Each structure stands twice: as C-alpha cells, then as structure tokens.
Amino acid sequence: MGDEVRIRCSASGYPPPRLVWTHNDMFIMASNRYRMTPDGTLVIRNTKKKDGGVYGCLASNQAGTDTMNSILTYFEFPVVRAALREILSNTGETTVMSCSASGIPQPEIWWYKGNIQLHSSALLEVDKLRGTLTIKQAQLGDAGEYSCVAVNAAGSSSVKIYLDVGTPPTFTLEPSNAVVDIGSNVTLSCQSYGYPTPQIAWRREDGSSLVNRPHTHSTISQRKGDLHIINLWVEDEGEYICEAKNRFGRIQTKASITVTGLVKPVIAMSPPVISVVEEQQLTLPCVLLAGNPLPERQWLHNYGLVTPDQYVTVRRDGSLHIERIQLDDGGDYTCLAENVIGATNHTTTVYVHVIPTIQHGPQVFSTIEGTPITLPCRASGVPSPDITWSK
C-alpha cells in the first residue's frame, strides 16, 4: 500500500503502434494516480489493494493489434498480536500459546524458542494457520521466552511471549492451636512447598497489626515461616493466619493461641482500723496472696494517689511506711492491686491520736474566804481528753 509501481511496455510496428492499458479488461483513464510515460510505461501512484490484478498493454496500428499481460500482486506487511504476553503454567498441565496475524496474503505463524524454530512432535503441537503452540505436560525446562513470527511474501513481524512454569504452594507443615501460660514463649510453625519457593506471611484474623503495637508487653517476630512470640500477653490471644503464596497461587491456614494461667489479684486481709499516736511510725501492709500476671500495687489516701516523699515510702513488699505520722495523715488508706484480669483493693482507716497536754498558767491563787474562785485547766489532745481534779 502506498507504493509507486511502474510497468514497462514497448511495441514495434509500422506505422508506429499506439499503446493503451487495461486493468482487469477495463481501459485505464489517465488520472492523478494513473499516467503513461511517452515510452509506454504505466505509472501507478499511491497503490491500493484494488490496484492488484491483470494489467494489459494493447498495441495497435492499421495493420493490427497485439497484447501482453502483467500480473500485479498486492501485499500487506504482516502484523502479529499475542493473546497473552505472559503465561503462567503449572507443571504437568497442557499449555496453549496463541497468536493472531493480519496481512495479505494471509501470513503463516511460526514459533521459536530463543533462536530455535519449533515443530510438531510428541510433546509439541504447532498449528501455523491457527497460530497456536500447544505444550503437552509442561515442565520446568519449558519456561522461557518464545517468539511468535508471522510470515508472508511481504515480510515478517514477531512478538515475544514469556512462559513461566511452576507449582502452586502446598503446606508441608501447618501450625497447631496453642494453649500457653501468660508470660511464656510460643512458636507457631508454618512451612510450604512450591516453585518458585512460596513466601510465607503471618497476620491476625482480626486485622490488628503484628508489629508497631503501642503499649505491649510481648515481642513478635517471624523467621523462616515460624511466628515467635516472646513473653506472651493477654492481647496476644486470638486467631493467626499463615499465608503462603507465589506466582502460581496462594493458600492459607490458621491456628489459635489461648492464654492461660490468668489469676485475679488477691490481697491479704489486714485490720480495717488502726490507731496511732502522732510522731510515731506507721506501716500499712499490702500482701499479695495471688495474681498472675504479677499485679501492680499503688496506694490511695482518701482516694487520692499517695506520692512518696522523705517521710512516706512504698516498700518493695508493697507496704506503705510513714516515718513520722502527723494529724493530717489520718484517714482512709487503700491498697489497689491491678493486673490485666482485674483489680482488687483493701482499705484501712487510720486514726491519729495526740497525747493530752495542759496549757501552763498561774499556779498560785489567793482569795478571800467565802468568795468563789475558778481554777483554769485548759487541755488539748485527740481525741478530746477527759479532765479530772484531785486535791
């Protein structure tokens, strides 16, 4: 298409013959695409498909006529297309690669692997007209780059197809459900076979992240398909999914982790009421009888958090020690023990007593017989002291 074609024709005779041209037995009229040079050559510009056919050169004079024919064949360069440029095939499966081509005349389709042309055999079937290459029971060695080449008289064109042969993943070891005490270490094992080697990834069924977890006690890591959890905690309980995938497929299995050994805090009973004299020492016990994981203990004074200072300390055994108790230190002291399971508390009411004191005043009084007199006795203390007199 689009070429310029020249068909030469010369004739002799006397008188010199006149030349005319026909196309498929129809006389050609001069136009912008058809012209005849003075030497008798037919020039066809910008050729089209319809220009193909039989061209006749007719020479005539008064003595007679003579004709000769020339056949003009129209070609179109082949254009080839592949149904799929990349194909995945499982080992042992029948694999079909397909190409289609356009062109005039209709191109044949040849197949190559690398630089080697493929022909039908016991393992291959090549159909040049339909443009298919069938590989029976594909093997790993069949993987590679294939060329689909369309060929006709005008030329050839090609397209490349990549075939990858492998096997989808299968589990060789699936994880088992685990029932583990809190604080322990646990491993969920997951192994898979396939070609290429499957990638194994773990995730939680509830969608929460296995990494970048804020305020967590445990440490989670994955090595060679195994999921390791160090210092198992309550939030680690749940369903875990192991997924194995490669280019040929993906599979998944799951296992559950159940956290056991959980015990709510239990605090030993202590006296509900304690009385102490001002400036004395006071130790309030907070003895843990049970609790797993180990509860955290803190003290409240009248329901406000106790802050240690030079006189107030919380000892390693959880007891609260006050070195020199003051009157303001009286009130309710609550020991609160809390872990992930729950919380418990015990309250002791502390009464601070102050030793009675009598304010000093005049000690010698004089009076006239028969006149009333008042002898003062101003005393303070907690609780308010009873006053008695003696003579």
Side-chain angles (χ1 to χ4, degrees), residues 248-391:
F248 297 90
R250 67 173 65 197
I251 54 175
Q252 64 182 33
T253 184
K254 64 182 179 179
S256 65
I257 293 180
T258 303
V259 180
T260 59
L262 304 174
V263 179
K264 186 177 178 180
V266 178
I267 300 176
M269 295 300 295
S270 58
V273 177
I274 292 179
S275 298
V276 63
V277 176
E278 188 180 33
E279 297 292 331
Q280 288 185 344
Q281 294 183 350
L282 173 65
T283 300
L284 298 176
C286 185
V287 179
L288 284 173
L289 298 180
N292 192 33
L294 185 66
E296 293 183 358
R297 286 172 289 189
Q298 54 186 352
W299 282 91
L300 305 176
H301 179 213
N302 293 333
Y303 306 103
L305 192 64
V306 172
T307 54
D309 56 26
Q310 59 179 333
Y311 298 110
V312 179
T313 56
V314 178
R315 293 178 172 173
R316 294 184 62 182
D317 63 0
S319 61
L320 179 67
H321 179 76
I322 303 176
E323 182 65 25
R324 295 172 58 189
I325 197 163
Q326 302 299 312
L327 186 62
D328 292 342
D329 293 330
D332 292 333
Y333 286 84
T334 301
C335 174
L336 176 64
E338 185 176 15
N339 64 11
V340 293
I341 304 306
T344 188
N345 63 79
H346 179 72
T347 300
T348 299
T349 301
V350 175
Y351 293 105
V352 179
H353 292 176
V354 180
I355 296 175
T357 56
I358 299 176
Q359 294 181 5
H360 293 289
Q363 296 182 348
V364 177
F365 290 84
S366 297
T367 186
I368 298 173
E369 185 178 16
T371 303
I373 188 172
T374 298
L375 301 180
C377 183
R378 297 178 179 174
S380 63
V382 178
S384 297
D386 293 325
I387 295 178
T388 58
W389 286 85
S390 61
K391 177 174 182 295

Side-chain angles (χ1 to χ4, degrees), residues 119-289:
H119 302 280
S120 295
S121 66
L123 300 177
L124 294 176
E125 183 180 321
V126 178
D127 190 328
K128 293 183 178 180
L129 297 180
R130 294 175 56 201
T132 58
L133 171 65
T134 303
I135 302 176
K136 305 169 185 176
Q137 297 181 346
Q139 302 301 316
L140 296 179
D142 293 324
E145 191 174 72
Y146 290 78
S147 296
C148 167
V149 182
V151 180
N152 69 5
S156 65
S157 68
S158 66
V159 64
K160 295 187 182 301
I161 298 175
Y162 185 78
L163 173 65
D164 195 4
V165 180
T167 56
T170 56
F171 284 118
T172 56
L173 177 61
E174 296 190 41
S176 301
N177 296 336
V179 180
V180 188
D181 281 348
I182 192 168
S184 303
N185 301 335
V186 61
T187 296
L188 298 181
S189 296
C190 186
Q191 297 177 13
S192 175
Y193 170 79
Y195 185 86
T197 301
Q199 298 294 317
I200 292 180
W202 283 91
R203 69 176 189 274
R204 283 183 63 113
E205 189 176 46
D206 59 10
S208 59
S209 175
L210 293 179
V211 295
N212 301 326
R213 302 177 304 159
H215 314 302
T216 183
H217 295 76
S218 60
T219 301
I220 299 180
S221 61
Q222 179 182 338
R223 293 193 303 273
K224 295 183 179 179
D226 292 345
L227 187 70
H228 302 278
I229 303 179
I230 299 174
N231 189 27
L232 184 72
W233 216 246
V234 175
E235 61 264 24
D236 297 320
E237 184 170 282
E239 296 280 348
Y240 290 79
I241 296 176
C242 171
E243 182 179 82
K245 66 177 180 179
N246 62 14
R247 300 185 67 192
F248 297 90
R250 67 173 65 197
I251 54 175
Q252 64 182 33
T253 184
K254 64 182 179 179
S256 65
I257 293 180
T258 303
V259 180
T260 59
L262 304 174
V263 179
K264 186 177 178 180
V266 178
I267 300 176
M269 295 300 295
S270 58
V273 177
I274 292 179
S275 298
V276 63
V277 176
E278 188 180 33
E279 297 292 331
Q280 288 185 344
Q281 294 183 350
L282 173 65
T283 300
L284 298 176
C286 185
V287 179
L288 284 173
L289 298 180

Side-chain angles (χ1 to χ4, degrees), residues 75-87:
F75 292 106
E76 280 189 2
F77 195 79
V79 177
V80 64
R81 299 175 183 83
L84 293 172
R85 300 292 291 272
E86 186 173 358
I87 297 176

